[in-house]
Amino acid sequence: MIGGLFIYNHKGEVLISRVYRDDIGRNAVDAFRVNVIHARQQVRSPVTNIARTSFFHVKRSNIWLAAVTKQNVNAAMVFEFLYKMCDVMTAYFGKISEENIKNNFVLIYELLDEILDFGYPQNSETGALKTFITQTGIKSQSKEEQSQITSQVTGQIGWRREGIKYRRNELFLDVLESVNLLMSPQGQVLSAHVSGRVVMKSYLSGMPECKFGMNDKIVIDKQGKGGASEEAAGKSDLGGSGGGGGKQSIAIDDCTFHQCVRLSKFDAERSISFIPPDGECELMRYRTTKDIILPFRVIPLVREVGRTKLEVKVVIKSNFKPSLLAQKIEVRIPTPLNTSGVQVICMKGKAKYKASENAIVWKIKRMAGMKESQISAEIELLPTNDKKKWARPPISMNFEVPFAPSGLKVRYLKVFEPKLNYSDHDVIKWVRYIGRSGIYETRC
Amino acid sequence: MTDSKYFTTTKKGEIFELKAELNSDKKEKKKEAVKKVIASMTVGKDVSALFPDVVNCMQTDNLELKKLVYLYLMNYAKSQPDMAIMAVNTFVKDCEDPNPLIRALAVRTMGCIRVDKITEYLCEPLRKCLKDEDPYVRKTAAVCVAKLHDINAQLVEDQGFLDTLKDLISDSNPMVVANAVAALSEIAESHPNSNLLDLNPQSINKLLTALNECTEWGQIFILDCLANYTPRDDRESQSICERVTPRLSHANSAVVLSAVKVLMKFMEMLPKDLDYYGTLLKKLAPPLVTLLSAEPELQYVALRNINLIVQKRPEILKHEMKVFFVKYNDPIYVKLEKLDIMIRLASQANIAQVLAELKEYATEVDVDFVRKAVRAIGRCAIKVEQSAERCVSTLLDLIQTKVNYVVQEAIVVIKDIFRKYPNKYESVIATLCENLDSLDEPEARAAMIWIVGEYAERIDNADELLESFLEGFHDESTQVQLQLLTAIVKLFLKKPTETQELVQQVLSLATQDSDNPDLRDRGYIYWRLLSTDPVAAKEVVLAEKPLISEETDLIEPTLLEELICHIGTLASVYHKPPSAFVEGSRGVMHKRLPARTGSGEGTECPDVGNAAGGSAPEAAPSIIPSQGDLLGDLLNLDLAPPTTPAVLLPLLGGDIGGSPAMGAGFGAAPAVMPASLNAPVGGGLGDLFDLGGGVGMPMGAYIPPKTVWLPAMKAKGLEISGTFARRAGVIQMELVLTNKAMSVMTDFAIQFNRNSFGLAPAGPLQVLTPLGPNQTIEVSLPLSTVGPVMKMDPLNNLQVAVKNNIDVFYFSCQYPISMLFVEDGKMERQVFLATWKDIPNDNESQFQIQDCHLNSEAASNKLQGSNIFTIAKRTVEGQDMLYMSIKLSNGIWVLAELKVQAGNPNYTVSSGTRRDR
């Protein structure tokens, strides 16, 4: 198991050091600094073995978090734990920075004592932790309060406490997708996938039992056999928007769920039921690869004119309903390292050559569907004797569209709270779809 | 107010100031001071001098302050054990506190204080806390047992904490169950055979129930523990798999990977024709792909594991090639791993796509990555024959880029392509030759020279090209020098008229001006060959070369199996068994995949047994009569084919020898023996009985007949046959050397590679007179067992190098394990009895020897000749039970029970061993 956990600043000075196992000595702290933080070359692996001691590290801005062990630990678990540790710290004091860590070092030690025991991760749900690890110190709690805390920390529903009350029961669902594309210069899709998340913000009283439904092909097909379902018809108000047209159902390659979702039930019936944590949580992540709506198409044309000049022309085409608007569009056209000057002409938006980033950045605020726009640039090059050819990095693109490129639609989210007297109809529900570019690249 | 000020630099006299502040009356000031102390401790300053003052702050109702003091205690208690005692009272008191958070805090902290005297006081509070009414306290106490065990294992056993911990597996609270499982698993690791976890269908069921309810971390503990279980049959295996598969949808990647581990392992037991088997395979792919959308560090862990899974079961991901395409912004460690997997998945169906990608990668920036991409193109050519042509043209395109390291790498792989498809792509040689000047890396230069030499007859100016290399001969690396020497000799043999001068030049450079023995030797060999018999030289130097195989970088199957059992862990990231990087006894247990069981499996396909590591099928120990309780639950290894005698050796296989894994490995050891191994092994136990011989044979150790170890064909006329014997306590290697060549052989010498039992020649090889043509000489070489040790496979394998005036020859042979049985292998009766009981059941093996017509008396006498000593004998229900002991030269004892039934030619042997730590 994890033998120790260290946090360093960018210089390699240790800010937090907590040792859990006797086999980890003080010299481990220095070993990591010398061999990894101060190492000359780029990090070649997130796992480093130095003198039979293994170091796992992750970096958040310029802070290094390192877990140390001498045993054959579960490596995936260690990284998951480090990420979790970052989440917990962020939930407590915001951004992970040297200043914040120094300001909260007592709190961090207290957290580390609680969420890692003898190197074994314990309950690390912020909701539960915040009930008894507070910066003010626990004052006098009543006996009931104490046992409520402990039962929540160890309980089956560790992520929610009892007795939550809201005057207005409300929930927000965000379907956040990032669409990834790698396209060849000829316009052939080399790989495309959508990785999506359903984020739920809920303000519900009591211990609400929720059921979530979407246009999952497997479910729809199953229901289709048994006649049209009333749920689908009745709750169409949640369906709403859509980009490329009315796809009935989508094939989900794979999905993973927040720990509140009953996995065995999903496995057996493919129904998603859960008692949500209070406030925000990422209910589900999913991945699709079939029938993705690619919101933009990038058509590059690069021509080398002699040895000192490049001509670049890039056309972008939007490919969704004309009534919808894409926002924050940015096209990044890489330029060679020996670029001396650039002249750009674009029909729409603003384009600028950024020498420090070796790229022409073309920004368009808004663009409706089924439109196209074009940029052309002349790039002057300095003659070099560098034998290394310019690698021609791909043209990348950023954007945001108000629909889900995978075609996913929320069909319903039903809430039951048997003990309190509010019904599904009393809950105010909001659904929003946002599609963003992930790694959206076209080779040129 | 912020805490960062505590990190400000210190000045002299700070300790004094702190001391004063710690003893202050004001609570706030005290707390401030303790914070300062902790901050100093963090940055590595020694503040142990403040021990008594800090401990004085311990009795407080301020929980934050208390925690800080505890933190200090955990750090410094070991250096100040006497003072640490001062804290005991507070701990004991806190363990009784009405607040469960404080009770848990106290027991958690106490376990971290590694001072003997404190641990004594810990026992009572711990016992109470293990039975506390509050689950939070119980889950903390469960981990505390593991802590205490790490400090003082004996104490934990004496106090009966292990039993209490076992009870917690049935606790009503899932987190308590998970922590108890984690603690037990860890303790069990240091007692490999204690059967602590006692996994059986009932307890497994409890774990599977808890799995649905506990935290993500708890699920990991439980899944990792489940992976150690071996289901009784395929039905149980399937039902566990069914209950584990929902975990594949968990958001936590570690839960997913641990579930994959359980499934990959238990899948081994399912019959391949089962519908469920196919379903399971399909279910595994999506979650593995999803892991690739995790953060880069986790992607890396996932990819290292996928690399193993793809080697073990390529069918799972064969359609998922695209997801392994490299993204421009992937960290380099992710890129390199993806590339590896792409090559493994490359097939005729997807090769076009793969090649297009690889070509793209070859233009990237990172040199390592580009090189690997170029190399990958070559590997595709070798792997998918249909694509070879396209690969070669892609490589040629890359050579045209003139990027130095790309060109060099391309030439290295083209050489391999030539070796795989000889006489097919020589048209490209001209292009290669154009780049001769830009090659500055030895590997690329050597590859180019090889190509020129190999195809000298088709390259008009081959002599000029090679001559140009010759100018700087002495500045080249050995690799290039050797290659150049061979290439020029090849050239000479092909075009003797024009290149005589060149060959003489290189021979004299190699033999006279070089001080590298390898180079000189090779030079002389060529020289003599060319001067004595050019025809023979042609046959030797221009002989047809064997084709290279397609997959050279696959992980060796037994290691792969072990790594599959460690999916998700560090071992799977390093691709090394835990014993390679974990110190001490922990985690060195070798894990094996379970064998397939179930209907019709034995006949279905013979390769299954091997594919599954030939693991020992577990069967009910039905042959053991009532008194067999000594032996407990034995592995029944009925591996002997009907006519040949069974072999003792494989029983000792696996891990005896210098390997530290011995203790645990024995039970699983038979895994190394597929039945076919019997024949070549030679010196088995059956042989010891020497079936042909009667009772009246002279006493003495068994000596297997001589076999040919090195045929003359392979050793330029030298034939070596031999055997091993043990005479008067000395192990002898008896060799027969025959010269079947035309010239005289002299200067014989012998050397062994490192081997399992440290065998090494005790003296030089005594061949004093030169060995003339058609002469034979018998030599006896005494061996010692003090040489360097390395585990061999098979265990009794010995790699030998024999040198004479002509060349060095290598061969390997296998020695009978019986020659390692030492003369003082007779154990005291009492010791025997105690040891026999002590041997963990897992370390015992049982098998039968068939068709052995000796009575127990004669057998006993005969075995004694080979240093297998009978300690006791008794007769039960008409069966003679012989208890015997053997001691190996490296001090390992093997105890055996031999069951002989009058009139039945079949013997039953049960044996076991134990390694003393």
Side-chain angles (χ1 to χ4, degrees):
Chain A
M1 280 307 116
I2 298 173
L5 203 138
F6 310 131
I7 302 180
Y8 303 84
N9 65 9
H10 66 288
K11 284 187 256 173
E13 291 165 354
V14 62
L15 304 177
I16 297 287
S17 107
R18 175 73 160 94
V19 172
Y20 294 94
R21 295 272 174 153
D22 200 40
D23 52 6
I24 302 300
R26 182 84 208 171
N27 51 0
V29 182
D30 303 323
F32 182 76
R33 176 188 20 248
V34 173
N35 289 290
V36 180
I37 300 182
H38 291 172
R40 294 241 172 89
Q41 86 269 48
Q42 193 193 357
V43 175
R44 296 309 259 199
S45 162
V47 186
T48 321
N49 193 318
I50 306 162
R52 293 206 152 214
T53 309
S54 299
F55 295 82
F56 300 74
H57 74 264
V58 299
K59 251 187 116 175
R60 287 290 180 269
S61 60
N62 54 8
I63 296 296
W64 298 76
L65 278 92
V68 194
T69 183
K70 284 209 164 186
Q71 298 173 25
N72 182 29
V73 292
N74 188 319
M77 185 189 79
V78 176
F79 280 123
E80 283 284 3
F81 177 79
L82 287 175
Y83 301 144
K84 194 68 173 199
M85 181 70 207
C86 293
D87 290 349
V88 171
M89 289 197 289
T90 314
Y92 266 96
F93 51 75
K95 193 173 171 281
I96 295 176
S97 65
E98 179 170 354
E99 198 191 349
N100 277 346
I101 287 173
K102 281 186 170 174
N103 282 342
N104 293 285
F105 83 99
V106 173
L107 169 75
I108 295 174
Y109 276 125
E110 204 176 327
L111 285 169
L112 282 175
D113 196 43
E114 186 59 43
I115 61 180
L116 212 50
D117 191 4
F118 201 41
Y120 289 105
Q122 305 292 304
N123 193 335
S124 47
E125 285 300 311
T126 346
L129 289 171
K130 279 194 170 168
T131 58
F132 69 108
I133 295 188
T134 54
Q135 276 157 304
T136 52
I138 328 171
K139 294 280 141 35
S140 52
Q141 292 148 322
S142 73
K143 209 151 183 211
E144 289 87 70
E145 278 170 336
Q146 286 165 5
S147 72
Q148 205 175 9
I149 289 170
T150 57
S151 81
Q152 198 207 329
V153 175
T154 60
Q156 295 182 17
I157 306 171
W159 53 87
R160 190 180 180 96
R161 65 192 166 89
E162 302 233 16
I164 297 171
K165 275 216 172 70
Y166 288 102
R167 224 151 44 115
R168 209 160 95 120
N169 289 299
E170 212 171 1
L171 70 86
F172 300 85
L173 276 179
D174 279 348
V175 177
L176 307 172
E177 294 197 339
S178 84
V179 52
N180 298 276
L181 170 76
L182 184 63
M183 194 176 254
S184 76
Q186 293 75 31
Q188 186 190 5
V189 177
L190 295 174
S191 73
H193 75 272
V194 166
S195 55
R197 305 186 296 145
V198 177
V199 176
M200 175 170 172
K201 236 182 260 175
S202 64
Y203 305 100
L204 302 169
S205 313
M207 295 299 256
E209 184 69 51
C210 299
K211 209 172 162 198
F212 174 70
M214 54 191 174
N215 59 339
D216 176 1
K217 195 162 189 294
I218 298 175
V219 179
I220 303 274
D221 289 355
K222 219 192 278 174
Q223 286 173 344
K225 279 172 204 151
S229 106
E230 35 116 20
E231 288 165 350
K235 285 290 166 187
S236 58
D237 57 317
L238 281 180
S241 65
K247 241 191 300 166
Q248 280 305 302
S249 60
I250 62 159
I252 292 176
D253 286 32
D254 188 36
C255 43
T256 58
F257 296 100
H258 184 269
Q259 59 169 325
C260 67
V261 175
R262 294 181 189 91
L263 294 178
S264 36
K265 215 160 171 193
F266 177 76
D267 195 59
E269 316 160 11
R270 224 171 156 86
S271 74
I272 303 165
S273 63
F274 55 96
I275 295 173
D278 194 37
E280 187 174 315
C281 83
E282 186 182 284
L283 183 62
M284 136 178 196
R285 276 179 187 234
Y286 56 92
R287 188 165 50 79
T288 73
T289 47
K290 291 203 185 66
D291 304 322
I292 294 168
I293 306 152
L294 295 171
F296 286 94
R297 165 90 203 274
V298 178
I299 305 157
L301 199 77
V302 181
R303 209 160 65 92
E304 293 182 34
V305 185
R307 300 189 63 193
T308 57
K309 203 168 153 192
L310 272 179
E311 278 180 13
V312 181
K313 197 171 109 178
V314 177
V315 180
I316 59 168
K317 285 184 178 171
S318 59
N319 174 37
F320 44 87
K321 276 188 202 162
S323 57
L324 297 175
L325 274 181
Q327 294 183 67
K328 301 178 191 165
I329 302 152
E330 186 186 290
V331 182
R332 192 168 275 268
I333 304 162
T335 56
L337 295 172
N338 55 337
T339 302
S340 60
V342 176
Q343 275 116 43
V344 231
I345 311 161
C346 57
M347 290 157 53
K348 211 171 173 216
K350 279 181 191 161
K352 230 188 201 169
Y353 166 62
K354 294 198 173 165
S356 60
E357 297 166 38
N358 285 313
I360 301 168
V361 181
W362 177 26
K363 286 183 178 171
I364 303 171
K365 278 202 183 122
R366 256 174 236 103
M367 188 162 169
M370 306 316 268
K371 290 259 178 355
E372 75 173 70
S373 189
Q374 184 184 322
I375 183 171
S376 32
E378 276 185 23
I379 301 169
E380 305 280 340
L381 302 177
L382 289 170
T384 58
N385 46 8
D386 192 2
K387 271 193 191 162
K388 231 191 229 173
K389 226 186 73 180
W390 177 46
R392 282 209 189 182
I395 295 176
S396 59
M397 209 182 154
N398 290 315
F399 54 80
E400 200 179 292
V401 289
F403 61 88
S406 69
L408 180 130
K409 277 170 204 155
V410 178
R411 290 170 57 229
Y412 56 84
L413 199 147
K414 289 191 260 182
V415 183
F416 310 94
E417 167 51 69
K419 285 191 200 139
L420 301 172
N421 54 348
Y422 69 91
S423 76
D424 185 43
H425 293 289
D426 304 330
V427 180
I428 305 159
K429 301 170 192 171
W430 307 87
V431 183
R432 178 166 66 160
Y433 297 87
I434 300 173
R436 290 199 184 98
S437 52
I439 295 167
Y440 203 84
E441 294 176 337
T442 307
R443 288 183 181 154
C444 58
Chain B
M1 186 197 71
T2 66
D3 288 343
S4 58
K5 60 173 188 282
Y6 303 114
F7 281 90
T8 47
T9 46
T10 44
K11 41 197 188 290
K12 272 189 188 164
E14 190 203 21
I15 299 277
F16 272 114
E17 271 175 38
L18 281 174
K19 210 177 180 88
E21 284 175 40
L22 284 170
N23 291 318
S24 153
D25 295 335
K26 287 183 193 137
K27 275 186 181 171
E28 262 317 300
K29 203 152 196 185
K30 255 189 188 175
K31 199 165 135 189
E32 295 285 290
V34 177
K35 282 187 182 180
K36 276 185 207 164
V37 172
I38 300 291
S40 310
M41 192 175 88
T42 297
V43 294
K45 271 177 230 153
D46 184 12
V47 282
S48 60
L50 295 166
F51 201 90
D53 310 280
V54 177
V55 172
N56 271 338
C57 303
M58 191 169 162
Q59 282 194 0
T60 167
D61 48 359
N62 183 322
L63 202 56
E64 192 187 5
L65 180 58
K66 197 185 261 289
K67 283 182 179 173
L68 287 173
V69 175
Y70 280 180
L71 191 63
Y72 179 90
L73 264 175
M74 286 186 260
N75 254 306
Y76 287 113
K78 222 170 143 190
S79 58
Q80 312 248 352
D82 293 333
M83 304 258 246
I85 299 296
M86 291 165 33
V88 165
N89 262 336
T90 321
F91 279 126
V92 175
K93 217 175 82 201
D94 279 358
C95 285
E96 309 267 329
D97 197 279
N99 186 344
L101 293 170
I102 297 204
R103 292 202 296 275
L105 177 66
V107 76
R108 183 166 68 212
T109 313
M110 247 176 130
C112 296
I113 296 178
R114 304 177 65 94
V115 173
D116 279 344
K117 282 180 201 153
I118 290 211
T119 41
E120 281 166 30
Y121 289 101
L122 175 60
C123 292
E124 274 323 299
L126 178 59
R127 198 184 314 283
K128 268 187 214 151
C129 287
L130 280 166
K131 302 217 159 109
D132 200 286
E133 51 168 22
D134 195 293
Y136 183 77
V137 180
R138 289 201 301 276
K139 71 107 184 161
T140 312
V143 176
C144 189
V145 175
K147 293 178 188 170
L148 190 57
H149 187 270
D150 192 39
I151 305 170
N152 189 342
Q154 197 57 46
L155 186 68
V156 170
E157 277 164 44
D158 295 348
Q159 296 277 336
F161 286 139
L162 294 181
D163 292 324
T164 323
L165 201 53
K166 275 189 207 167
D167 293 343
L168 288 184
I169 289 193
S170 316
D171 199 282
S172 57
N173 183 293
M175 193 157 177
V176 177
V177 177
N179 277 5
V181 167
L184 277 173
S185 300
E186 176 164 345
I187 294 171
E189 252 179 46
S190 43
H191 296 263
N193 303 304
S194 54
N195 202 18
L196 249 187
L197 275 159
D198 187 29
L199 295 174
N200 54 50
Q202 289 76 40
S203 61
I204 290 290
N205 197 30
K206 278 179 203 156
L207 293 185
L208 286 167
T209 311
L211 186 60
N212 289 323
E213 293 165 351
C214 59
T215 64
E216 45 194 328
W217 314 115
Q219 298 187 16
I220 300 169
F221 306 154
I222 292 179
L223 287 168
D224 284 349
C225 170
L226 271 180
N228 290 327
Y229 176 63
T230 310
R232 312 221 152 157
D233 52 32
D234 51 337
R235 223 167 297 148
E236 193 190 1
S237 181
Q238 175 174 349
S239 84
I240 296 175
C241 287
E242 279 166 355
R243 292 178 70 179
V244 167
T245 33
R247 297 300 118 197
L248 294 174
S249 306
H250 203 284
N252 187 313
S253 311
V255 175
V256 177
L257 267 178
S258 290
V260 169
K261 165 164 58 190
V262 174
L263 297 174
M264 282 291 287
K265 207 179 157 190
F266 288 11
M267 213 152 85
E268 287 293 320
M269 292 184 69
L270 300 177
K272 278 189 170 162
D273 48 358
L274 194 71
D275 286 346
Y276 182 71
Y277 179 83
T279 319
L280 200 53
L281 277 182
K282 271 190 212 122
K283 277 196 173 170
L284 277 172
L288 287 174
V289 173
T290 297
L291 291 176
L292 299 183
S293 30
E295 290 85 344
E297 292 87 1
L298 265 175
Q299 276 188 53
Y300 174 72
V301 174
L303 286 165
R304 293 292 283 174
N305 279 287
I306 289 172
N307 200 329
L308 298 173
I309 293 168
V310 165
Q311 289 184 54
K312 179 78 194 154
R313 295 192 179 279
E315 63 270 33
I316 295 178
L317 289 166
K318 66 179 172 196
H319 299 303
E320 303 289 348
M321 172 61 93
K322 277 190 177 183
V323 299
F324 298 103
F325 284 0
V326 171
K327 294 189 185 118
Y328 190 72
N329 293 325
D330 280 337
I332 183 67
Y333 50 81
V334 169
K335 285 185 176 175
L336 292 172
E337 290 308 314
K338 280 187 173 173
L339 202 49
D340 239 1
I341 295 168
M342 277 174 70
I343 302 163
R344 293 202 196 288
L345 290 177
S347 67
Q348 206 186 334
N350 55 27
I351 195 76
Q353 267 184 323
V354 173
L355 267 182
E357 280 296 307
L358 291 177
K359 199 176 168 186
E360 200 67 43
Y361 304 159
T363 60
E364 282 218 28
V365 194
D366 190 285
V367 178
D368 282 351
F369 180 59
V370 171
R371 282 173 178 275
K372 200 164 179 174
V374 175
R375 213 159 264 231
I377 297 175
R379 272 169 63 189
C380 284
I382 290 164
K383 196 172 172 199
V384 186
E385 185 160 1
Q386 293 84 350
S387 75
E389 194 152 351
R390 243 179 307 175
C391 294
V392 171
S393 75
T394 309
L395 288 170
L396 282 180
D397 288 351
L398 290 173
I399 288 176
Q400 300 302 351
T401 63
K402 305 274 177 201
V403 177
N404 192 276
Y405 53 85
V406 174
V407 174
Q408 310 213 37
E409 206 66 40
I411 286 179
V412 172
V413 298
I414 286 179
K415 183 203 76 182
D416 286 344
I417 295 177
F418 281 174
R419 290 201 53 194
K420 171 80 182 177
Y421 310 108
N423 304 319
K424 229 176 151 182
Y425 299 108
E426 285 69 37
S427 52
V428 308
I429 290 175
T431 322
L432 303 185
C433 290
E434 288 165 20
N435 293 286
L436 219 54
D437 300 335
S438 62
L439 308 180
D440 53 10
E441 289 163 23
E443 205 185 350
R445 285 174 84 84
M448 192 63 223
I449 293 169
W450 182 86
I451 293 171
V452 174
E454 187 69 14
Y455 297 101
E457 69 273 25
R458 304 176 199 208
I459 305 171
D460 297 335
N461 60 342
D463 48 345
E464 282 169 38
L465 293 177
L466 291 177
E467 202 171 356
S468 68
F469 281 105
L470 209 53
E471 281 160 20
F473 189 78
H474 289 298
D475 302 329
E476 300 281 2
S477 71
T478 312
Q479 191 184 8
V480 179
Q481 289 175 334
L482 286 169
Q483 207 57 259
L484 194 53
L485 173 61
T486 306
I488 292 179
V489 171
K490 280 182 190 166
L491 174 71
F492 172 71
L493 289 168
K494 288 173 176 174
K495 301 179 182 175
T497 46
E498 308 128 59
T499 54
Q500 213 153 10
E501 210 171 297
L502 191 62
V503 82
Q504 268 167 2
Q505 202 183 338
V506 77
L507 286 175
S508 86
L509 277 172
T511 53
Q512 286 160 22
D513 300 345
S514 168
D515 47 11
N516 181 322
D518 284 344
L519 188 63
R520 248 183 2 233
D521 278 4
R522 195 185 284 193
Y524 278 125
I525 289 167
Y526 284 144
W527 204 323
R528 287 205 185 109
L529 261 176
L530 292 174
S531 53
T532 50
D533 188 354
V535 180
K538 215 162 192 171
E539 265 165 43
V540 172
V541 180
L542 301 180
E544 202 166 305
K545 282 155 215 71
L547 298 183
I548 57 172
S549 66
E550 23 190 282
E551 300 272 356
T552 46
D553 61 337
L554 286 179
I555 295 176
E556 185 248 331
T558 45
L559 176 61
L560 181 62
E561 305 226 326
E562 193 180 349
L563 293 179
I564 290 284
C565 301
H566 287 293
I567 283 179
T569 68
L570 258 181
S572 72
V573 174
Y574 292 148
H575 288 184
K576 280 181 192 155
S579 51
F581 59 92
V582 174
E583 275 166 12
S585 60
R586 235 182 221 146
V588 294
M589 214 182 321
H590 282 286
K591 294 189 180 175
R592 295 271 151 83
L593 292 175
R596 216 167 282 257
T597 60
S599 50
E601 191 54 38
T603 52
E604 193 209 17
C605 51
D607 69 319
V608 171
N610 293 337
S615 297
E618 260 179 303
S622 55
I623 335 163
I624 303 171
S626 57
Q627 75 272 31
D629 58 347
L630 260 179
L631 302 173
D633 187 18
L634 287 185
L635 289 172
N636 172 20
L637 299 167
D638 197 357
L639 288 161
T643 49
T644 40
V647 184
L648 172 62
L649 186 68
L651 196 159
L652 299 167
D655 301 310
I656 311 194
S659 153
M662 162 61 206
F666 198 85
V672 287
M673 186 179 82
S676 62
L677 206 89
N678 280 344
V681 165
L685 180 59
D687 293 344
L688 296 178
F689 283 92
D690 201 345
L691 306 173
V695 191
M697 283 276 289
M699 295 304 239
Y702 166 75
I703 302 167
K706 290 195 172 83
T707 48
V708 176
W709 284 334
L710 182 71
M713 295 278 289
K714 284 191 177 165
K716 305 188 177 169
L718 176 66
E719 182 181 280
I720 301 179
S721 60
T723 185
F724 293 89
R726 187 178 184 94
R727 295 185 205 281
V730 180
I731 305 169
Q732 306 264 3
M733 185 180 193
E734 311 203 321
L735 296 154
V736 179
L737 309 176
T738 308
N739 181 353
K740 295 195 170 170
M742 300 309 290
S743 54
V744 176
M745 295 178 179
T746 55
D747 304 338
F748 285 93
I750 191 164
Q751 217 168 8
F752 293 175
N753 193 1
R754 290 192 287 169
N755 54 71
S756 316
F757 291 91
L759 288 175
L765 191 62
Q766 300 285 341
V767 186
L768 300 174
T769 48
L771 197 58
N774 278 326
Q775 259 190 334
T776 294
I777 186 170
E778 290 195 29
V779 202
S780 192
L781 178 71
L783 306 183
S784 71
T785 52
V786 292
V789 173
M790 179 176 74
K791 198 192 137 196
M792 302 295 293
D793 188 25
L795 197 67
N796 60 333
N797 199 16
L798 181 67
Q799 296 176 336
V800 183
V802 169
K803 196 181 143 184
N804 61 13
N805 57 336
I806 295 170
D807 202 351
V808 185
F809 310 105
Y810 303 91
F811 64 90
S812 64
C813 54
Q814 289 168 354
Y815 47 86
I817 208 90
S818 61
M819 70 180 213
L820 298 167
F821 299 167
V822 297
E823 280 67 22
D824 64 342
K826 187 157 187 164
M827 213 177 226
E828 291 279 321
R829 277 182 86 115
Q830 296 307 322
V831 183
F832 182 92
L833 205 62
T835 317
W836 185 263
K837 282 183 184 161
D838 238 26
I839 294 175
N841 292 345
D842 293 356
N843 284 5
E844 293 181 3
S845 300
Q846 188 180 59
F847 61 94
Q848 294 198 7
I849 298 166
Q850 303 190 342
D851 278 338
C852 190
H853 299 275
L854 288 175
N855 64 25
S856 61
E857 191 83 16
S860 168
N861 283 337
K862 200 147 192 52
L863 289 170
Q864 177 130 15
S866 289
N867 294 337
I868 301 174
F869 299 94
T870 306
I871 308 297
K873 176 184 162 184
R874 57 181 178 153
T875 312
V876 183
E877 293 165 8
Q879 294 187 89
D880 283 341
M881 313 282 289
L882 297 178
Y883 292 94
M884 7 193 89
S885 71
I886 302 161
K887 189 181 171 190
L888 291 168
S889 57
N890 57 357
I892 289 176
W893 286 90
V894 181
L895 308 187
E897 179 194 67
L898 185 66
K899 212 176 294 170
V900 185
Q901 200 163 14
N904 184 346
N906 296 347
Y907 289 13
T908 303
V909 183
S910 310
S911 66
T913 186
R914 184 178 62 115
R915 202 173 94 105
D916 295 315
R917 290 240 169 78

